[in-house]
Amino acid sequence: MPRGPALDTPPPSEPLRRERWRILLAVHDRVEEVAESAVEVMRAEIPSYALQDERFFDEVREQVLEHYRMQLAVLAGDRDIASDDLVFSRAAALRRARAGFALEDWISAFRVGRQVMWDALLDCAGTSAEAQQAALSLVTPLMRYVDYASTHAAQAYVEYQQHVVADADRERRDLLDQLLAGLAPTRGPLSAAAQAYGIGPRSPMMAVVAVGVGDTRTGDLTSAEHGYATSASISVAGPWAGRTLVVVRHGEVVAVPVVRAGMSADDICTHFEAVQRRLAQEGTTLSMGISTVAQGASELPRVYDEARAALDLVPSGGGVAALPRLSPFEYLALRADDLARKLVDPRVRVLLEEDRRRGDTLAGTIRAFAEADLNLRLAADRLRVHHNTAHYRLRRIEERTGRNPRRIADLLELLVALAIRDGAGEGEDRS
């Protein structure tokens, strides 16, 4: 069994050793009183302890007494301390962790215990020079004991928290796997987990899939630490109450937000767009695909596929493709392949490319004219130009392309060509 560090300094002189024995015996005689003082300070200074009942403090008192007696035995002799000596402390640490106490509260209790013991040593030492020197000689071994004991207890805390995190992650993965099979659990632990996220068999839900693109710190979401940090950021509550199921799987982060009462799909899109921007500012650039709404768990496999397909619409530099915000026309244009681009009349393609380099004046006129239901004066007002200027632009478009924007078929062709151009521009160098 590995042992702790030596807990004493080189052998003291005989007078110093006698003084130390006197001090330690005096503290030993009043050790229960010292332990009681430590418990009262913990009750006063550690908020989570102050809320506990007397049964809890009976256990704390027992723990403090055991530590104090061991400290006095170690300080009185030239011995080491082994991890076996601290089994009682490790067990107590696990109980605190299971009860939900923060690690810093447990360490604060060690700090209080050390300070009260040191005060007792000084009080029992007296004011003579020899006594003060003897008390000071106990500082190093006392600090070593507390450091070793608190570190040993902290390890128990960390091990327990890792176990809890691993169990929770397994549960989330199992829940998502069942949902992606189109089933909402109806019994057992997974049912309870689903309820905690607001997920039921007929709950309206969406799927969000995020992948890393050029993260400036760690590279991608295949790093477990980075993936969990990203998922934690994504799971932060948005404009709704309750938690969101978020799972790291196969190099992607999958979120299943529930569309709760009073919310809309647009609210969820707004939230995840804000999350994507915030993470980008912090150095993690994500591509996110957001699905339409699934009316119950049976439709979740479909919307998960939608979210993954939406990732193809995100530019190479990252961003969000939210399907609820796209019209069928926009979606089809963004999904256009090379053949669709080739079918665009070369005259139309050349004009739109030139126009983009010059500020998209003609493209803006085409859009405004369509949005104004072919009312040229209304379109001119919205563009804040004279209607003669708008008329000139339409005539120029017709002269260059052979398409008259006043004819529905020609206007549709121009709008499709414009959407294909914009979609191709957003997707350049898409990986």
Side-chain angles (χ1 to χ4, degrees):
M1 180 67 66
R3 305 184 73 78
L7 296 178
D8 209 343
T9 53
S13 64
E14 186 60 26
L16 186 62
R17 190 176 66 82
R18 284 198 300 268
E19 277 298 302
R20 285 175 55 162
W21 267 101
R22 181 186 65 78
I23 295 169
L24 294 173
L25 285 173
V27 174
H28 183 272
D29 288 343
R30 48 182 287 199
V31 68
E32 292 186 1
E33 176 188 338
V34 177
E36 186 62 40
S37 296
V39 170
E40 290 307 311
V41 176
M42 291 175 194
R43 191 197 298 260
E45 293 189 1
I46 305 175
S48 62
Y49 278 37
L51 301 173
Q52 307 306 311
D53 58 19
E54 287 307 314
R55 182 178 178 182
F56 171 83
F57 285 107
D58 287 344
E59 182 191 331
V60 172
R61 193 175 294 106
E62 181 182 337
Q63 289 288 314
V64 173
L65 264 174
E66 194 152 2
H67 273 294
Y68 279 175
R69 286 170 176 148
M70 184 172 295
Q71 286 177 40
L72 292 171
V74 168
L75 295 175
D78 299 332
R79 58 159 289 186
D80 295 344
I81 183 171
S83 58
D84 284 353
D85 297 322
L86 296 171
V87 170
F88 73 96
S89 182
R90 180 183 179 86
L94 287 173
R95 287 195 296 273
R96 298 291 181 272
R98 290 193 192 99
F101 286 86
L103 175 58
E104 52 264 34
D105 289 345
W106 177 250
I107 298 302
S108 292
F110 270 97
R111 176 187 57 77
V112 168
R114 179 201 63 205
Q115 186 59 51
V116 172
M117 170 57 79
W118 176 240
D119 290 344
L121 289 169
L122 286 179
D123 185 56
C124 291
T127 58
S128 70
E130 294 83 0
Q132 291 291 306
Q133 184 180 1
L136 288 174
S137 73
L138 295 170
V139 171
T140 297
L142 177 63
M143 291 295 292
R144 285 177 178 167
Y145 175 91
V146 173
D147 285 347
Y148 184 66
S150 60
T151 299
H152 191 75
Q155 287 173 347
Y157 247 89
V158 171
E159 289 169 7
Y160 176 78
Q161 289 169 347
Q162 288 174 339
H163 172 74
V164 169
V165 168
D167 274 359
D169 185 53
R170 256 192 313 273
E171 183 178 72
R172 287 192 299 270
R173 284 172 177 267
D174 291 345
L175 175 57
L176 180 63
D177 286 344
Q178 188 159 342
L179 291 171
L180 291 181
L183 302 170
T186 57
R187 64 183 64 183
L190 288 187
S191 177
Q195 291 174 19
Y197 294 111
I199 296 172
R202 289 176 291 279
S203 300
M205 296 172 278
M206 297 168 70
V208 181
V209 176
V211 296
V213 285
D215 174 42
T216 58
R217 295 170 304 179
T218 55
D220 56 42
L221 296 180
T222 58
S223 159
E225 179 182 352
H226 178 41
Y228 291 132
T230 302
S231 68
S233 296
I234 291 175
S235 65
V236 171
W240 55 83
R243 297 185 295 162
T244 298
L245 175 63
V246 182
V247 176
V248 182
R249 66 194 296 274
H250 309 315
E252 64 185 20
V253 176
V254 180
V256 183
V258 175
V259 185
R260 302 174 191 270
M263 293 172 49
S264 66
D266 191 64
D267 293 327
I268 289 178
C269 294
T270 298
H271 169 66
F272 280 96
E273 286 168 345
V275 169
Q276 196 276 342
R277 287 194 299 272
R278 175 170 54 81
L279 287 173
Q281 291 170 354
E282 295 172 358
T284 300
T285 304
L286 297 177
S287 290
M288 281 188 182
I290 304 178
S291 74
T292 61
V293 178
Q295 298 301 327
S298 63
E299 294 186 6
L300 199 64
R302 170 183 63 79
V303 297
Y304 170 70
D305 289 339
E306 287 180 2
R308 296 197 72 202
L311 288 173
D312 292 337
L313 309 180
V314 180
S316 59
V320 179
L323 295 185
R325 294 200 167 158
L326 296 178
S327 68
F329 177 85
E330 291 169 325
Y331 176 77
L332 290 173
L334 288 171
R335 298 285 293 179
D337 56 16
D338 289 340
L339 177 57
R341 296 184 186 96
K342 289 178 182 177
L343 292 176
V344 175
D345 189 306
R347 291 175 297 172
V348 175
R349 185 167 58 247
V350 169
L351 174 71
L352 295 180
E353 290 299 335
E354 289 178 357
D355 186 54
R356 175 155 55 186
R357 291 192 293 269
R358 293 171 180 169
D360 264 352
T361 300
L362 299 181
T365 303
I366 293 170
R367 290 194 183 97
F369 189 54
E371 291 167 1
D373 295 327
L374 282 64
N375 185 323
L376 183 59
R377 189 171 295 275
L378 179 58
D381 289 344
R382 290 177 176 176
L383 291 168
R384 297 182 179 179
V385 299
H386 193 276
H387 73 277
N388 286 338
T389 301
H391 178 76
Y392 166 77
R393 291 178 181 175
L394 293 185
R395 189 171 68 249
R396 186 178 173 204
I397 291 168
E398 183 177 2
E399 291 171 353
R400 291 285 307 276
T401 65
R403 269 67 177 178
N404 181 359
R406 290 182 174 83
R407 293 181 64 246
I408 295 295
D410 286 356
L411 180 59
L412 282 175
E413 186 176 346
L414 290 169
L415 288 170
V416 169
L418 184 55
I420 289 175
R421 183 207 71 171
D422 291 346
E426 290 177 1
E428 285 174 1
D429 299 325
R430 220 181 251 148
S431 55

